Every structure is written in C-alpha cells, then in structure tokens.
Amino acid sequence: TQLLEQSPQFLSIQEGENLTVYCNSSSVFSSLQWYRQEPGEGPVLLVTVVTGGEVKKLKRLTFQFGDARKDSSLHITAAQPGDTGLYLCAGSAGGGNKLVFGAGTILRVKS
Amino acid sequence: GAVVSQHPSWVICKSGTSVKIECRSLDFQATTMFWYRQFPKQSLMLMATSNEGSKATYEQGVEKDKFLINHASLTLSTLTVTSAHPEDSSFYICSASSFGNIQYFGAGTRLSVL
C-alpha cells in the first residue's frame, strides 16, 4: 500500500513568516499534486509536478518534486492570512490515476 | 481548469431515509469519477472509483450496498447513501478525470443525518 506522510499536521504562524510543508513516501509516484481546501469546499488544485527534481513557482508558493519522485515540498514565502486553509498533497502512481492523499496540513496565518 | 458541479451542497435528512448526491463534469467528458469522504480537519478518504458504464470499484471497508454509485454517462455520477444513519454524517466530495488525467474536484456535499 502506498502511503504519503505529510508534515506538519498543523501550523500556526504570523503574517510575513515563511513555512514549508513536506510530503514523503517510500514509493515512487508518476506525479504529485498539491491542493488547497477551505472549510466547506472542495480541494482546489495548486500544482502538478511530474519530473524528478522539478521546481514550480506560483507567486509566493514554491513546489519541489524530489529527484527520486518519492517526496515533495511546498514552501510559502511571506505568508498572508489569505493563505489559511488545509493543504493536501496527493500522489499518483499512474494507471487509472487513483490518488493517494497525505493527511493534510492545517495552516493558520495570523495577522 | 475544468468544472465539476456537485449537488446538493448541503442536505439534512432523517435517519433511515436515502440521499442522492450528484456529480457532473460541466465542460469535459469524465471517463472516471471518484467519491471521497472527509471528516473535519482530516484528509480525503477514497470510497470508490467509477468508470462510465461499469460497476464501481469500492475501497476496502466501504459497503457497496450502503453507498450506491452509478456512472451512467460521461458527465454524471451519483452517490446514494441508503438508509442513512447519524454515523453517515460527513462531507462527501466527488472528483472527475478524463483518460487518466488530473482529477478535478466538486465543492462537496455536507450530509447531516438526524
């Protein structure tokens, strides 16, 4: 069974601070997605990474896929209250595109 | 990104009744749809995978007679919670994908069983 370990589970920081969320696995994924979810809504796709070592930037968010495609990180620079939400990583091993989700990271950015 | 519509967004029902939740892909043909369940402040738990025209594949521990899934067309899948009980209260989310590509998620349905 493929597992994605996501950490930390909960993060409460002040506006302007930086943070990193990690997803790790012993399995190789063909692609990895990061989602952000607000209470009472569905997850919204932030990014998909597919190539080992790939780095993608989305404004203040930087996503990295490990060289071996077993791990990924999300770094947020100068966090803002609007970044508050549940962040989920999800990996796909290919073949039917069933996703394996991490446990999620609840981020709270205080102003 | 593609649009997936889920309806209703919130439903309250009495114990013992059945509830149907619809998931529609509005601007693409969804060869595969997924149904998830989510508890407060937790991640998504996959319940079942359905391919258009085929029987759904349920994850271990999910009762197929309790959670009936129908995927009769390339744009619509339904989840029916039969004889709902308070322990079935949860947030249910669907997603849709086309030929193994990215999953796009609906906005979710909050089910409250009294």
Side-chain angles (χ1 to χ4, degrees):
Chain A
T1 304
Q2 291 181 306
L3 292 174
L4 261 176
E5 293 189 2
Q6 187 172 343
S7 62
Q9 288 188 316
F10 182 76
L11 203 52
S12 181
I13 60 173
Q14 289 295 134
E15 181 177 3
E17 293 183 0
N18 302 331
L19 67 113
T20 303
V21 179
Y22 300 93
C23 266
N24 296 290
S25 177
S26 58
S27 304
V28 175
F29 291 98
S30 59
S31 68
L32 198 137
Q33 288 85 45
W34 284 92
Y35 295 86
R36 178 169 167 266
Q37 185 182 21
E38 296 196 39
E41 299 182 10
V44 174
L45 180 66
L46 296 174
V47 78
T48 299
V49 285
V50 297
T51 306
E54 183 176 5
V55 176
K56 282 192 174 179
K57 291 193 175 185
L58 184 65
K59 296 185 181 178
R60 294 176 293 101
L61 279 61
T62 302
F63 305 87
Q64 189 161 7
F65 201 14
D67 291 340
R69 290 185 288 136
K70 293 182 179 181
D71 56 271
S72 181
S73 64
L74 156 61
H75 183 79
I76 301 179
T77 303
Q80 299 176 1
D83 295 328
T84 293
L86 174 66
Y87 288 82
L88 297 160
C89 63
S92 173
N97 80 318
K98 194 160 91 170
L99 290 176
V100 174
F101 276 88
T105 296
I106 298 174
L107 172 64
R108 181 186 171 202
V109 182
K110 295 176 284 186
S111 57
Chain B
V3 179
V4 174
S5 173
Q6 192 171 337
H7 178 81
S9 57
W10 191 18
V11 57
I12 302 173
C13 70
K14 292 183 179 180
S15 186
T17 60
S18 294
V19 174
K20 181 184 283 189
I21 302 169
E22 291 188 349
C23 182
R24 294 179 184 273
S25 57
L26 298 185
D27 53 359
F28 69 103
Q29 293 186 326
T31 52
T32 308
M33 286 189 171
F34 302 84
W35 288 94
Y36 297 85
R37 184 172 181 176
Q38 185 178 34
F39 292 103
K41 297 184 179 180
Q42 293 188 23
S43 188
L44 278 67
M45 181 184 74
L46 180 65
M47 298 174 66
T49 303
S50 75
N51 294 300
E52 185 263 341
S54 303
K55 288 185 179 179
T57 302
Y58 290 81
E59 295 299 301
Q60 192 172 10
V62 178
E63 298 176 60
K64 62 179 181 180
D65 295 329
K66 174 76 171 175
F67 299 100
L68 299 178
I69 291 171
N70 184 280
H71 190 171
S73 77
L74 284 171
T75 59
L76 174 65
S77 176
T78 59
L79 166 67
T80 301
V81 183
T82 62
S83 187
H85 291 286
E87 58 265 30
D88 298 324
S89 298
S90 193
F91 193 55
Y92 293 88
I93 306 174
C94 72
S95 70
S97 72
S98 178
F99 296 108
N101 290 322
I102 294 171
Q103 288 186 35
Y104 294 95
F105 286 83
T109 297
R110 181 161 305 283
L111 171 63
S112 296
V113 185
L114 304 178

